[in-house]
Amino acid sequence: MDDSPIIHAFKRMQVPLMIVGSNGRISHCNHTTDHLFGYASGELMGRPVSDILPVASLAELNAHIKSPAVDVTVKGMIGRKKGGDAIVLGVYITAWTDPERGQQHALVLRDIGDEVNAERLAKEELRRANNAIKGARIGVFEYNTVTGTVVISDIGRELLELDASEIADVQSQWRARVHPDDLDSTLQATRLCLEGVNERASYEYRLRRNGGMRWRWIRVDVSVAERGRTNKAIRLIGAITDISERKAVENALRVSADQFRSAFENATIGKAIVGLDGAWLRVNPALCILFGYSEEELLKTDFQTVTHPDDLDADLKQLDQLVKGEINSYQMEKRYIRANGAIMWGLLSVGMVRDAAGKPAHFISQIVDVTEQRRLHELKSEFVAIVSHELRTPVTSILASLTLLGSMDKESLSDEAHRLLFIAQKNGERLHTLISDILDFEKFAAREMRFTPSGQHIVSLVEDALLANLASADKFGVRFNGPRANRALTGFVDPRRFQQVMANLLSNAAKFADEGSTIEIGVKEQTKSIRVSVSNVGSGIPASFHDQIFKPFAQAEPALTRKRGGTGLGLSISKQIVESMGGEIGFSSVEGDQTEFWFTVPKHNLKASDVSE
């Protein structure tokens, strides 16, 4: 039997085959079976089938065949190789009874591991796709052109607001609710697919919501799934998505863009979008008028061309800082050359626009013609300087004469003459102070004020200031209480300018202090500076005036100021002096109570560029 032609052919077959006898052992198998399970040729003969298959007995193997069938295919049976590794098998089992050997089982084996993995991956991919469709709220539909029926998924029904269990004429309902302006274009897109012109189409349309006149935007992507012999589409499949939110964002962006375009084009001041290389990318009509070019002519130039050569470096330096992110924007006055060669002063404001990655994209520039304002300011400064200088010389002479007269023998003048002489002298001093303040203010405005800082004992300077301003204390009925501090404290200041700041603060403190009160002067050492303070008790500074206190000509109560005197320039000048010497100045005030003005001076010398305007 073992050497029969059938068994001989059995052994040579390239498909794994084996026969299991009635004793549950392998009676025949070919070399392909041995190789499948990792055994040497003939090594499986006589072994229990349970060594390689998950069956404990012949009965368990036979149990796979359900009567009256005589064979069965078992898919996914886990075999075991010689080394113990598992193998996924597809096993065809057939049984028969041999008169001599009893019940026999023939097994055809196949390694289906790759197929199972592929099937598992396909199922996993399908599961992910279904989850993605559900998560993305995408409806799916199929349209059969032969039967005229539409099958639509549950999400598709939700998007079209159809009940999940409702048997409805989807096409009729859809036509009735599509916006009339969108119906023809959507039908045309589908028609081109049906007629074989296109394989797929996409279209967007408005769909009226159930029970009202509100609209939602729907996008449909459709493609041909099957065509007939005449190339006419038999089945279309498609996806439905609600794009209402996207449309709302697009509409908002469109409105924003329209508003920007309108503001840009209709602005009465010059506006431009400028490339990183300085080329004009876009200019508005006002800028063209400003420079005297047509839009076409201006777009052929760049901002460097129309900038005065003497102002170009300062502009480029700030542009470089802007590109590097060191500043967010900048503003400067610069000269421009108009088309006719005339020089124009412009107030330039520049900001940077960056892309999504944060890289510089382009500049936004705004230019205001300040030529006339600049001319008037120069005329004003020149006029003030001329008048002030013309007044200072005669006033100085008059004050000297009045002082001389006041020192003469009093018996030679009447009491009335002495009274008038005193009034003239005081008014002359006020006029001299006013002229000096105006000249100092103009020097700061023109950046012509110079400082000569040196190491000074601050307490000594403060004491000198108190002695120099005792007359102010006597005039308003107050007294100064000097600092109790280390007399060796040294700061770097210009002594003359320091005295000017102290005179302003002491004078103000005396003017607005309660009569009979004491003004406290403090000197305190800090880490890098020395803090000088002047405190009084009086009416205080109104909260509404705090932001204006250091601005030129600022006066909280004009009537009171006129009564007590003052130009409104003292604190503004003091602020500029302190900051020019490298310090800070500030105040705190409670209405009807204490007011403190303070400033700091550096303990260490600063560079000349840091203290000179």
Side-chain angles (χ1 to χ4, degrees), residues 355-367:
D355 60 21
K359 295 181 179 179
H362 54 262
F363 304 109
I364 297 292
S365 299
Q366 177 175 292
I367 303 171

Side-chain angles (χ1 to χ4, degrees), residues 311-312 314-316 318 330-334 336 346-350:
D311 296 338
L312 183 58
D315 197 3
L316 292 175
Q318 297 205 68
Y330 72 89
Q331 190 175 80
M332 66 179 294
E333 285 190 4
K334 57 181 281 193
Y336 291 96
L347 176 61
L348 170 67
S349 302
V350 182

Side-chain angles (χ1 to χ4, degrees), residues 20-34:
V20 180
S22 59
N23 59 358
R25 292 180 177 273
I26 301 171
S27 58
H28 297 285
C29 72
N30 59 3
H31 72 280
T32 308
T33 305
D34 291 319

